């Protein structure tokens, strides 16, 4: 019966988001309440449980997501992202320009949310395709694949960061393992897969965008742009490596661990970005703070949706459903990594949102991870990979890709949906291979 209640709750969640078009945050809170009461949770404990889950999730996430958005916005509006793109493209040349675009998407995607990165890079994709006389999708697919991979696998993006908290995983280790999986995945889903789509050659849409193209003297240097974008990654990776290679009593390990905490790493990177992308470019502090404010306003709803996922997770735990599921599958031969991937994939296909799929699957699979002793960082990556699969038409990313590239529904399925599925499957394979060595 508990599983039936959970299944009905997930169906209600799908119905509210897909059919009723209810905001995902409101739908998650409503379903959390319904599932909690149906599972027998006392009514006077329901609101405190929801508040506990929401607050516990956002408490470890608000700074990371907010500062990540600030860093991305500062980089975009200073011309830093354009500098990274143009420099790499000039270095790679026309023959290998798709590799340059893929690398650009990967670097830019570390600091930017998928939608922001896509809208930021799409004018450059159009420009490169037109000037180099290269099929549009040969540039567009590598860019989109790289952005999607970083969005699904690498902190400080909301979904991998949030489910790291749900699984009690080390975010630095998640970043390290995620990078190992993300690089080959982006290559296969981007520069290699686009070869199979050469028969689809849409024209560059006219009057679809009005990009700001920076002049050379308006942009920061390539070195400064890359360094600023990668500061949080460098700090978190250093902390993760120190835990693998240094004794626990070494002072250097404690120092690196402190600076590698996501909150501290992002705080440092934003402080650097305020200078390199702001003051150093002649901007006033008032202009810089306006950019920072706009960045936080843009991700406010994302934070609430993530918090709603945390509330549902807490209801599943406090109602005893999580323990029930964990005990049920503890003796199963099915790998908890595969189970987490499957649950996230099913939710993603039905509801569209990768973030909702990752958070909901994380809440369901968290007790399974504890009961089976599964590697928490790999559980994060398995869940993240499953949450990216297919990208159905109820995913805004589907329409973003379709409309900007002027594709039909069928062409969008062959390109966007296919590359998302490749990322999901490659991610699962990568997790299972890593599990052999670190699990």
């Amino acid at each position: 019966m508990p599983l039936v209640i959970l299944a009905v709750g997930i169906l209600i969640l799908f119905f509210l988001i897909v059919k009723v078009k209810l905001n995902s945050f409101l739908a998650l809170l409503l379903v959390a309440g319904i599932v909690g009461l149906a599972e027998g949770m006392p009514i006077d404990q329901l609101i405190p449980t929801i508040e506990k889950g929401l607050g516990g999730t956002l408490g470890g996430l608000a700074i990371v997501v907010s500062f990540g958005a600030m860093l991305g916005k500062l980089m975009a509006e200073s011309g830093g992202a354009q500098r990274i793109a143009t420099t790499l493209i000039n270095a790679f040349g026309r023959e290998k320009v798709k590799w340059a675009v893929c690398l650009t998407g990967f670097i830019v995607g570390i600091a930017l949310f998928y939608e922001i990165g896509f809208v930021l890079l799409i004018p450059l994709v159009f420009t490169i395709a037109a000037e180099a006389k290269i099929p549009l999708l040969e540039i567009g697919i590598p860019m989109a694949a790289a952005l999607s991979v970083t969005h699904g696998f690498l902190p400080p993006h909301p979904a991998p960061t949030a489910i790291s908290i749900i699984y009690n995983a080390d975010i630095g280790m998640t970043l390290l393992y995620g990078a190992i999986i993300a690089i080959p995945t982006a290559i296969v889903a981007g520069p290699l897969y686009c070869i199979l789509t050469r028969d689809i050659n849409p024209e560059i849409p006219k009057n679809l965008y009005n990009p700001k193209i920076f002049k050379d003297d308006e942009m920061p240097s390539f070195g400064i742009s890359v360094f600023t974008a990668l500061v949080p990654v460098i700090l978190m990776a250093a902390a993760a490596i120190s835990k693998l290679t240094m004794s626990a009593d070494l002072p250097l390990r404690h120092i690196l661990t402190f600076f590698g905490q996501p909150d501290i790493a992002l705080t440092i990177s934003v402080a650097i970005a305020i200078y390199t992308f702001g003051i150093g470019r002649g901007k006033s502090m008032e202009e810089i703070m306006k950019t920072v404010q706009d960045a936080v306003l843009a991700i406010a709803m994302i934070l609430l949706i993530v918090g709603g996922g945390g509330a549902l997770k807490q209801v599943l735990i406090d109602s005893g459903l999580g323990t029930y599921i964990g005990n049920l599958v503890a003796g199963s031969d099915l790998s908890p990594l595969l189970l987490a991937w499957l649950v996230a994939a099913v939710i993603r296909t039905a509801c569209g949102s990768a973030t909702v799929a990752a958070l909901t699957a994380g809440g369901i699979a968290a007790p399974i991870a504890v009961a089976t002793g599964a590697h928490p960082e790999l559980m994060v990556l398995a869940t993240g990979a499953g949450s990216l699969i297919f990208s159905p038409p109820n995913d805004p990313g589907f329409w973003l890709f379709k409309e900007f590239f002027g594709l039909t529904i069928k062409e969008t399925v062959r390109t966007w949906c296919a590359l998302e599925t490749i990322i999901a499957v490659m991610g699962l394979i990568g997790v299972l291979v890593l599990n052999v060595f670190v699990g």
Side-chain angles (χ1 to χ4, degrees):
M1 187 62 180
L3 290 179
V4 173
I5 293 173
L6 174 61
V8 171
I10 292 175
L11 288 174
I12 293 173
L13 180 66
F14 295 161
F15 177 77
L16 292 175
I17 294 174
V18 177
K19 294 295 184 182
V20 180
K21 307 298 183 185
L22 189 66
N23 177 272
S24 296
F25 172 64
L26 298 177
L28 283 164
L29 291 186
L30 183 58
V31 169
I34 292 172
V35 170
L37 293 175
E39 293 289 354
M41 179 179 289
I43 193 169
D44 60 335
Q45 293 182 16
L46 185 60
I47 298 303
T49 297
I50 289 175
E51 291 176 347
K52 178 182 175 182
L54 194 149
T57 300
L58 292 184
L61 193 66
I63 293 178
V64 175
V65 175
S66 298
F67 277 31
M70 293 176 197
L71 175 60
K73 188 75 169 176
L74 287 167
M75 184 168 69
E77 296 202 352
S78 69
Q82 183 178 324
R83 172 69 78 183
I84 292 171
T86 54
T87 301
L88 290 175
I89 289 161
N90 290 335
F92 278 74
R94 182 191 179 284
E95 299 290 329
K96 300 177 181 177
V97 71
K98 62 184 179 182
W99 294 93
V101 172
C102 186
L103 181 57
T104 301
F106 199 90
I107 294 173
V108 170
I110 291 171
L112 294 174
F113 296 116
Y114 175 82
E115 290 82 2
I116 298 173
F118 186 95
V119 174
L120 168 71
L121 292 179
I122 197 70
L124 293 176
V125 169
F126 290 159
T127 302
I128 294 166
E131 292 184 359
K133 294 181 172 56
I134 294 173
L136 182 56
L137 291 178
E138 191 169 328
I139 307 298
I141 286 177
M143 178 272 289
L147 289 175
S148 183
V149 164
T150 57
H151 175 78
F153 293 160
L154 303 182
H157 281 280
T161 305
I163 51 182
S164 292
I165 295 170
I166 290 174
Y167 287 122
N168 197 29
D170 183 282
I171 293 181
M173 294 300 294
T174 302
L175 175 62
L176 183 63
Y177 293 149
I180 292 172
I181 296 173
I183 292 171
T185 299
I187 290 172
V188 173
L192 296 184
Y193 179 68
C194 72
I195 296 172
L196 302 178
T197 65
R198 285 178 174 170
D199 59 310
I200 304 174
N201 189 19
E203 294 183 1
I204 298 174
K206 306 298 182 184
N207 303 319
L208 189 58
Y209 66 99
N210 183 27
K212 177 180 179 180
I213 302 298
F214 293 87
K215 297 179 181 178
D216 189 73
D217 60 353
E218 294 177 329
M219 298 182 288
S221 71
F222 176 75
I224 288 174
S225 301
V226 171
F227 170 74
T228 307
L230 294 183
V231 163
V233 177
I234 293 169
L235 292 174
M236 286 189 279
I241 293 171
S242 72
K243 292 177 183 177
L244 292 174
T245 60
M246 296 183 184
S247 172
D249 57 356
L250 280 179
L252 179 58
R253 172 172 168 173
H254 292 287
I255 292 171
L256 291 174
T257 299
F258 172 76
F259 286 108
Q261 295 177 83
D263 292 356
I264 300 299
L266 266 298
T267 301
I268 293 171
S269 67
V270 169
I272 292 173
I274 286 174
Y275 178 78
T276 58
F277 293 151
I279 295 173
R281 305 303 305 162
K283 294 185 178 182
S284 68
M285 186 58 71
E286 184 178 0
E287 290 178 291
I288 297 169
M289 289 303 104
K290 177 64 166 61
T291 299
V292 166
Q293 178 180 321
D294 291 343
V296 175
L297 290 174
I299 53 90
M301 184 51 66
I302 292 176
L303 279 173
L304 287 177
I305 292 171
V306 169
L312 177 59
K313 174 217 51 170
Q314 197 64 45
V315 166
L316 294 175
I317 292 173
D318 288 5
S319 68
L321 179 59
T323 303
Y324 174 83
I325 296 173
N327 292 334
L328 191 65
V329 302
S332 172
D333 292 332
L334 188 64
S335 164
L337 296 171
L338 179 57
L339 184 62
W341 184 89
L342 284 171
V343 171
V346 170
I347 296 173
R348 159 70 155 177
T349 303
C351 115
S353 169
T355 301
V356 171
L359 290 169
T360 306
I364 293 171
I368 300 172
V370 174
T372 59
H375 200 291
E377 288 77 26
L378 296 185
M379 287 291 288
V380 172
L381 297 173
T383 306
S387 72
L388 294 176
I389 199 167
F390 190 62
S391 182
N394 51 354
D395 173 23
F398 179 97
W399 300 102
L400 192 70
F401 192 93
K402 175 186 179 299
E403 296 304 319
F404 269 101
F405 288 114
L407 303 173
T408 65
I409 294 288
K410 182 180 178 180
E411 290 171 340
T412 307
V413 170
R414 274 195 57 197
T415 53
W416 170 246
C417 296
L419 77 85
E420 285 286 85
T421 301
I422 291 170
I423 291 171
V425 174
M426 285 283 295
L428 175 62
I429 292 172
V431 165
L432 294 178
V433 171
L434 269 181
N435 189 54
V436 174
F437 297 98
V438 302

